Amino acid sequence: MVFGLFKKKNNNRVIVDRQYAALTTAARQPGFYLYLNVPDTVMGRFELLAIVMILYFRRTKSSQTSGQEIAQEIIDAFFQDLDHSMRELGIGDQGVPKRMKKFAGMFYGRLESYAAALDGDDVDALAAALARNIYPQSEATPADMRGLATWMMAASDALTAQSEDLIATGQVTLPTPDFKRLP
């Protein structure tokens, strides 16, 4: 009975789980890999999941306190998933914290560069940032990422239009791209 007093209460767990599942499902749509030049690799999947989390995080930054709390818990779940995935890939306990720090830096660096382009409504700058991040060792051009950048702009607008009630209840959705019609 007394031990229950020290247990962390998480009244948002159902909401966070529902929203996180919706966001990860959106990031796993095969069309991103088949039509929008995202490589179907571990890093490609990280990049796409980071994009979806960034779009969601940007929407919730102006939300009420409960929406911001849920967003933070979702970002925490994202990083817990990364930690779990690294361990499943065989990275040892000593290597995980170093890599987690690297992934956190990558995530927040992308947040800044994508946010600047999204705030400026600059699809070309967003496509250039995507090309640099998704293909750092390659000669991919911003034109290769224009379809993904166009979808991100539309998704950002769609998220902005969603109500605070949807955020508070974990029912925010991202638009499904019309993969064959994007540039």
Side-chain angles (χ1 to χ4, degrees), residues 42 82-100 103:
V42 171
L82 283 176
D83 181 280
H84 180 73
S85 295
M86 281 190 263
R87 292 174 194 280
E88 280 187 342
L89 289 170
I91 297 170
D93 288 341
Q94 293 180 349
V96 170
K98 183 178 179 181
R99 289 202 168 109
M100 285 299 294
F103 276 111

Side-chain angles (χ1 to χ4, degrees), residues 6-136:
F6 300 106
K7 195 170 164 181
K8 182 181 175 186
K9 295 180 182 175
N10 190 343
N11 298 330
N12 294 332
R13 178 59 28 211
V14 171
I15 295 168
V16 169
D17 289 347
R18 175 177 39 239
Q19 188 63 72
Y20 188 69
L23 294 170
T24 56
T25 298
R28 291 180 179 144
Q29 293 181 59
F32 286 114
Y33 307 98
L34 293 170
Y35 303 111
L36 297 185
N37 299 320
V38 177
D40 192 6
T41 62
V42 171
M43 284 309 296
R45 289 171 185 237
F46 164 78
E47 293 292 347
L48 199 49
L49 190 52
I51 287 167
V52 168
M53 291 299 154
I54 288 167
L55 290 169
Y56 177 79
F57 201 55
R58 282 177 37 81
R59 167 56 184 94
T60 58
K61 74 179 179 184
S62 62
S63 291
Q64 300 165 357
T65 302
S66 64
Q68 290 178 7
E69 288 173 3
I70 291 166
Q72 184 58 56
E73 289 181 47
I74 288 171
I75 295 298
D76 292 346
F78 170 60
F79 282 106
Q80 287 172 353
D81 257 4
L82 283 176
D83 181 280
H84 180 73
S85 295
M86 281 190 263
R87 292 174 194 280
E88 280 187 342
L89 289 170
I91 297 170
D93 288 341
Q94 293 180 349
V96 170
K98 183 178 179 181
R99 289 202 168 109
M100 285 299 294
K101 187 175 182 179
K102 180 179 177 182
F103 276 111
M106 290 167 58
F107 177 80
Y108 288 107
R110 283 154 176 70
L111 175 63
E112 286 183 31
S113 65
Y114 298 163
L118 287 163
D119 290 342
D121 200 29
D122 189 343
V123 72
D124 293 327
L126 184 55
L130 289 165
R132 277 191 313 273
N133 292 326
I134 293 175
Y135 291 100

